[in-house]
Amino acid sequence: MELLVKGARVVDSSQDFEGDVYIRNGKIDEIGKSLSKDCSVIDGKGLTILPAFVDLHSHFRDPGQTYKEDILSGSRAAAAGGYTAVNLMANTDPPCSSMEIVEYVKNKADEAGLIDVYQSISITKNMEGNDISHLEKIDKGVKIISDDGKGVLSIDIMYKAMVKAKDMGIIVMTHEEDESIAKYDARLSENIMTIRDIVLSEYTLCPLHIAHVSTKEAMKSIMDAKKRGVPVTCEVTPHHISLDNSVDYKVNPPLRDATDVKFLIESIKDGFVDVISTDHAPHTMEDKRNGARGISGLETAFCVCFTKLVHEGNISLSRLSEIMSKNPARILKLNKGEIKIGYDGDLVLVDLNKKIKVDAKNFESKGKNTPFDGMEFYGKVLMTVKGGRVIYDNRQAL
Ligand SMILES: [Zn+2]
């Protein structure tokens, strides 16, 4: 399969120029100016191409809650958001604690045939917090273990999990929350658990990826840890860098103070934030009315981050590409995330000048839950290409 994108602004973490990108046999084959190929050509004039995005943190609710999302609808939502690879969390029903469920998800993702899906295994068996014996039975292909959705409360269990993960070359991804403390103060809960897991990572040398950092104290702990050489990476979500708790919307961790939002943006500018992850957490409207926490995030991630971070002058588009594509791809050890010869031919075509209004009812995701509904942003995703194949095309919206 061949594809040529012509005359676009080509941007990744290390380059920003006007030119063409040619994909052949699924890989980026040539980059330059005035390329001419006898194949399908996309006119990129006035538009921008970036490496497609990679989401380290999504919930596709399959198996068990396919009324909220399934692998196909989640894949469609990802493609519509400019993503070609996602890493799914293990808090399905039943939780993903075995290779059988990994295989089930993989097969459904292959059937859907749109994006690459990676499935995490839970840190503790069935996410019950007290047993890691299932980790003995997991294959080398598993890249990340996580009990995301809740914290692992036992220090002993987290210590053993990190020793095991370090041994197996797996990353531990943590949702930093201790519900016993959260009832007093939700900030304290995140702050304490963040420090605990940094201490354990520093001791065991297990690679630690801290999910959805939301408080300035937790971020400061991560900054200090990075300066000491602790093998820690971290992510922030589009909603935690664009909304504060003056907005009444339930997510977990909760929306924080305006000073936290500001601090997270500064941390992105200063290079301490590795990744933007969506924490795509689709729910039905009824579940939301009943207090379910989460946002359907894949289809608004780019426009929210572009507007908040780049359009408002905080970072360059290259830095945004680094945290939405290059770094998450590196963490998952994928040959993606940059526009370089030999890399996967995964691109996203965007219109940075067009103002768009979010309309949740048009989401591909089954989850129409978003605080951004009706809000206006810059940065429309027009087309997503995976391995030279167009998996999403919305150019008629131009
Ligand atoms: Zn979480």
Side-chain angles (χ1 to χ4, degrees):
M1 194 171 291
E2 294 173 81
L3 187 75
L4 176 64
V5 184
K6 273 193 79 67
R9 179 182 170 199
V10 180
V11 181
D12 74 0
S13 59
S14 63
Q15 54 194 342
D16 188 337
F17 66 97
E18 200 118 314
D20 312 337
V21 177
Y22 171 60
I23 300 168
R24 192 167 69 106
N25 295 333
K27 306 284 182 204
I28 295 171
D29 194 71
E30 217 176 319
I31 303 163
K33 282 184 197 285
S34 311
L35 300 183
S36 172
K37 305 283 172 190
D38 183 20
C39 69
S40 157
V41 176
I42 289 162
D43 180 9
K45 206 167 181 297
L47 305 173
T48 300
I49 50 169
L50 297 155
F53 312 126
V54 175
D55 191 17
L56 275 185
H57 188 156
S58 262
H59 301 265
F60 281 6
R61 311 293 191 205
D62 193 351
Q65 293 180 310
T66 51
Y67 58 95
K68 292 183 194 244
E69 193 79 292
D70 58 40
I71 305 293
L72 178 60
S73 63
S75 296
R76 282 192 181 133
Y83 289 85
T84 57
V86 300
N87 179 54
L88 300 183
M89 294 298 106
N91 64 337
T92 47
D93 184 15
C96 182
S97 302
S98 70
M99 290 313 294
E100 285 72 39
I101 297 181
V102 173
E103 282 307 312
Y104 162 84
V105 169
K106 240 179 156 172
N107 289 337
K108 283 197 78 172
D110 286 349
E111 251 168 59
L114 287 170
I115 60 161
D116 291 336
V117 171
Y118 300 90
Q119 175 65 55
S120 303
I121 288 229
S122 60
I123 298 172
T124 67
K125 193 174 176 186
N126 296 322
M127 292 186 56
E128 285 165 356
N130 49 27
D131 181 1
I132 60 161
S133 60
H134 66 300
L135 297 180
E136 297 294 338
K137 296 181 197 127
I138 66 177
D139 292 355
K140 288 257 181 290
V142 173
K143 296 171 187 249
I144 291 178
I145 54 173
S146 182
D147 272 12
D148 182 63
K150 59 184 180 182
V152 173
L153 299 188
S154 161
I155 304 173
D156 181 35
I157 290 288
M158 186 54 107
Y159 170 80
K160 286 177 182 153
M162 283 202 192
V163 169
K164 183 79 189 159
K166 159 77 179 150
D167 187 43
M168 297 178 75
I170 292 174
I171 296 164
V172 170
M173 178 168 166
T174 50
H175 169 118
E176 304 294 9
E177 181 184 11
D178 180 339
E179 282 173 60
S180 69
I181 293 167
K183 66 177 181 269
Y184 305 119
D185 186 332
R187 305 179 69 85
L188 196 60
S189 157
E190 178 174 341
N191 297 345
I192 285 177
M193 291 290 271
T194 300
I195 291 171
R196 183 202 73 175
D197 289 337
I198 286 170
V199 170
L200 288 173
S201 166
E202 188 165 20
Y203 185 80
T204 60
L205 297 179
C206 173
L208 168 67
H209 179 76
I210 299 180
H212 43 50
V213 181
S214 71
T215 70
K216 61 177 179 295
E217 297 86 1
M219 187 54 80
K220 277 182 184 163
S221 301
I222 292 165
M223 289 169 155
D224 289 343
K226 286 185 163 212
K227 287 176 192 159
R228 294 201 301 277
V230 180
V232 59
T233 52
C234 71
E235 68 186 33
V236 298
T237 70
H239 47 280
H240 287 113
I241 60 164
S242 58
L243 302 174
D244 61 41
N245 51 17
S246 63
V247 175
D248 180 21
Y249 199 84
K250 280 198 168 63
V251 282
N252 187 21
L255 297 175
R256 302 293 191 186
D257 298 341
T259 52
D260 295 296
V261 174
K262 207 163 162 248
F263 195 83
L264 295 183
I265 292 173
E266 288 301 317
S267 310
I268 294 172
K269 285 165 82 167
D270 294 343
F272 289 101
V273 172
D274 300 279
V275 170
I276 300 270
S277 292
T278 66
D279 194 7
H280 176 74
H283 290 294
T284 64
M285 284 308 173
E286 193 188 348
D287 290 333
K288 281 304 283 185
R289 276 194 295 274
N290 292 330
R293 295 173 294 182
I295 165 178
S296 183
L298 281 164
E299 290 166 81
T300 51
F302 178 71
C303 67
V304 170
C305 291
F306 174 74
T307 303
K308 195 70 208 169
L309 297 174
V310 182
H311 194 263
E312 291 184 12
N314 290 302
I315 61 170
S316 68
L317 186 55
S318 282
R319 171 71 179 138
L320 183 61
S321 178
E322 183 176 25
I323 55 181
M324 290 190 74
S325 301
K326 179 185 172 184
N327 289 347
R330 283 220 172 148
I331 289 172
L332 285 172
K333 299 190 178 74
L334 308 178
N335 188 36
K336 294 185 192 293
E338 291 174 81
I339 300 182
K340 280 189 183 160
I341 290 168
Y343 273 60
D344 289 355
D346 292 15
L347 303 174
V348 57
L349 182 75
V350 294
D351 183 345
L352 300 179
N353 303 314
K354 198 177 163 75
K355 209 170 199 185
I356 45 165
K357 193 180 215 179
V358 175
D359 186 352
K361 69 176 185 306
N362 291 334
F363 281 178
E364 296 287 342
S365 170
K366 288 183 188 176
K368 314 293 181 195
N369 48 302
T370 174
F372 299 120
D373 197 24
M375 288 169 72
E376 289 188 320
F377 297 98
Y378 290 97
K380 185 168 183 59
V381 173
L382 293 174
M383 176 185 276
T384 307
V385 172
K386 180 171 182 296
R389 181 168 73 99
V390 176
I391 59 166
Y392 173 77
D393 188 354
N394 191 28
R395 282 175 299 169
Q396 76 277 6
L398 269 180

